[in-house]
Amino acid sequence: MDRSNARTLATQVASKPTVTATNPASTSSALNLIRSQPSHYVVASVVGRKYLLTPRDILTIPRLNDVKVGDTLALTDIHELGSRDFTLRGEPLIPKGKVSVKATVVEHTKGPMELIVKKKRRKGYKKTIQHKQTYTRLRIGDIDVASELAAPSSWYVGH
């Protein structure tokens, strides 16, 4: 058997049939499908970082000085909304008011003790600094999807 024939036979056997996914006709129908699903998730920006969040999650972020324990925060920078079967992505954000996610401040805490050692060889200089980073813990509330939506054409609806 020729080597090129063996290579083409191997690629023909290894190829898989393509599966076509059915996409909803519009963004509002996609939101209805997402709303009908039992569980949701969002990708949201909190303090400049993106996090994948679901309801009842505990999120540990760098310390927020201007909030107290028990305060409720509204997460407005939502990049993606999804369920098990469908995903709705903004370009780059989903418009404010279309998806609302609430987060409650659970506690202000500190991380583990970190040791910072500075040393200069052959000089007798050695310095140790101890430091605990401060954090804020948030409990993510329910993800509410707006019932009506005028979708811009820049949204991506897909599976």
Side-chain angles (χ1 to χ4, degrees):
M1 183 184 273
D2 189 20
R3 209 172 181 168
S4 62
N5 284 340
R7 188 171 294 153
T8 57
L9 288 174
T11 56
Q12 289 174 355
V13 172
S15 66
K16 295 180 181 177
T18 58
V19 177
T20 58
T22 59
N23 288 337
S26 68
T27 307
S28 59
S29 63
L31 273 178
N32 287 333
L33 288 171
I34 290 173
R35 199 176 307 111
S36 68
Q37 297 289 316
S39 61
H40 302 105
Y41 73 90
V42 293
V43 175
S45 288
V46 182
V47 194
R49 288 184 145 184
K50 291 183 183 179
Y51 297 96
L52 178 73
L53 304 171
T54 59
R56 296 176 301 282
D57 276 354
I58 294 285
L59 178 63
T60 303
I61 59 173
R63 170 81 183 223
L64 299 175
N65 290 325
D66 52 347
V67 296
K68 295 183 175 102
V69 175
D71 287 354
T72 302
L73 306 174
L75 305 182
T76 56
D77 294 341
I78 308 293
H79 297 275
E80 184 175 316
L81 166 69
S83 65
R84 184 178 200 112
D85 296 329
F86 295 99
T87 300
L88 183 66
R89 293 187 188 133
E91 290 275 337
L93 298 173
I94 294 176
K96 294 178 170 115
K98 305 306 178 190
V99 178
S100 67
V101 180
K102 302 282 185 198
T104 305
V105 178
V106 177
E107 67 175 343
H108 295 292
T109 185
K110 291 184 178 182
M113 182 69 74
E114 296 178 8
L115 295 176
I116 302 155
V117 178
K118 294 183 176 183
K119 181 182 176 183
K120 296 189 185 222
R121 64 183 192 166
R122 296 188 299 272
K123 305 294 182 207
Y125 174 78
K126 186 175 179 181
K127 185 177 182 181
T128 303
I129 302 170
Q130 295 181 346
H131 170 70
K132 284 188 175 184
Q133 183 68 39
T134 56
Y135 295 104
T136 299
R137 291 217 173 139
L138 303 175
R139 164 88 58 192
I140 305 301
D142 290 333
I143 298 170
D144 296 323
V145 181
S147 58
E148 292 183 9
L149 182 64
S153 61
S154 64
W155 284 20
Y156 170 75
V157 179
H159 183 3

